[in-house]
Amino acid sequence: DSGVTQTPKHLITATGQRVTLRCSPRSGDLSVYWYQQSLDQGLQFLIQYYNGEERAKGNILERFSAQQFPDLHSELNLSSLELGDSALYFCASSVRGDNTEAFFGQGTRLTVV
Amino acid sequence: AQSVTQLDSQVPVFEEAPVELRCNYSSSVSVYLFWYVQYPNQGLQLLLKYLSGSTLVKGINGFEAEFNKSQTSFHLRKPSVHISDTAEYFCAVAFYNQGGKLIFGQGTELSVKP
């Protein structure tokens, strides 16, 4: 157990809908990262937050947004869902913002039908 | 462009044989290097990391990797594999002073056969 908690574990939704994925980082970790894992794109960095502020942005679609709350948990919002958004979404956390060691959650498997 | 290439998508090997999973990266700045393992239906677990210092890095479960700056490689090795090592292995790079994002390779599926 990495100490990073992601909910829900599985999510099935229809095209055009909006979902929210939640991540609770390890106790004491200030930085949260979101990654998408799909068969065609592999593991792609989406976005990083550090102590509530956006730190780095990757290939995140405009339909996706994220935030980190004062208690340091993070949410990833995916809207206007398309079939191609079906993937495993991972959250990771680290103490610092430079990712010298990041711990990954078990992921949320999103299926868009 | 900064990228990570895992040279083998699948590596079949017999139990107790040695294995090497290859990883090359491309970068114009200093890097931190990582190997992660993903077991079926699970998240990513850190096997080992290179931040600085000795180029030979030892990790968990008997794995080790060697950083070769001139060849921009970070190959993962284990002298004797077990059935339980069957999993997907990912090489990843973080770039110095560029925040915390990891760039991952496409993964190598290690299949250990009895």
Side-chain angles (χ1 to χ4, degrees), chain A residues 33 35 37 43 45 48 90 97 99-102 104-106, chain B residues 34 36 38 42-44 46 49 90 99-102 104 106:
Chain A
Y33 314 79
Y35 290 86
Q37 185 179 33
L43 269 160
F45 169 74
Q48 176 198 3
F90 283 111
N99 204 12
T100 49
E101 181 156 0
F104 281 75
Q106 298 276 59
Chain B
F34 306 81
Y36 283 86
Q38 184 179 27
Q42 294 194 26
L44 293 153
L46 181 67
K49 61 185 178 184
F90 292 93
K101 71 176 181 180
L102 287 169
F104 283 90
Q106 286 296 98

Side-chain angles (χ1 to χ4, degrees), chain A residues 43-62:
Chain A
L43 269 160
Q44 299 275 322
F45 169 74
L46 295 178
I47 198 163
Q48 176 198 3
Y49 279 82
Y50 178 78
N51 205 19
E53 300 289 326
E54 183 182 304
R55 173 66 68 93
K57 215 166 188 176
N59 299 323
I60 188 166
L61 300 172
E62 285 190 12

Side-chain angles (χ1 to χ4, degrees), chain A residues 71-91:
Chain A
D71 66 353
L72 300 176
H73 91 272
S74 178
E75 292 181 355
L76 179 67
N77 300 296
L78 315 175
S79 61
S80 302
L81 284 167
E82 302 174 0
L83 295 178
D85 297 327
S86 295
L88 194 51
Y89 291 84
F90 283 111
C91 170

Side-chain angles (χ1 to χ4, degrees), chain A residues 13-35:
Chain A
T13 190
T15 54
Q17 294 298 305
R18 172 189 169 95
V19 296
T20 297
L21 312 184
R22 182 187 169 100
C23 170
S24 294
R26 291 188 323 150
S27 176
D29 284 0
L30 297 178
S31 198
V32 169
Y33 314 79
W34 287 97
Y35 290 86

Side-chain angles (χ1 to χ4, degrees), chain B residues 27-49:
Chain B
S27 175
S28 56
V29 300
S30 297
V31 297
Y32 303 128
L33 295 155
F34 306 81
W35 276 97
Y36 283 86
V37 60
Q38 184 179 27
Y39 298 102
N41 300 314
Q42 294 194 26
L44 293 153
Q45 181 183 6
L46 181 67
L47 273 179
L48 49 79
K49 61 185 178 184

Side-chain angles (χ1 to χ4, degrees), chain B residues 22-100:
Chain B
R22 298 178 294 167
C23 173
N24 285 88
Y25 69 92
S26 171
S27 175
S28 56
V29 300
S30 297
V31 297
Y32 303 128
L33 295 155
F34 306 81
W35 276 97
Y36 283 86
V37 60
Q38 184 179 27
Y39 298 102
N41 300 314
Q42 294 194 26
L44 293 153
Q45 181 183 6
L46 181 67
L47 273 179
L48 49 79
K49 61 185 178 184
Y50 170 80
L51 304 181
S52 64
S54 173
T55 57
L56 183 62
V57 179
K58 294 190 183 299
I60 62 171
N61 300 341
F63 284 94
E64 64 179 34
E66 186 156 19
F67 170 53
N68 188 319
K69 189 174 181 179
S70 62
Q71 297 187 5
T72 60
S73 68
F74 191 56
H75 300 333
L76 181 70
R77 301 185 183 100
K78 186 169 182 177
S80 175
V81 294
H82 303 290
I83 298 286
S84 59
D85 292 323
T86 294
E88 186 102 24
Y89 291 78
F90 292 93
C91 180
V93 176
F95 301 98
Y96 182 70
N97 271 351
Q98 291 190 18

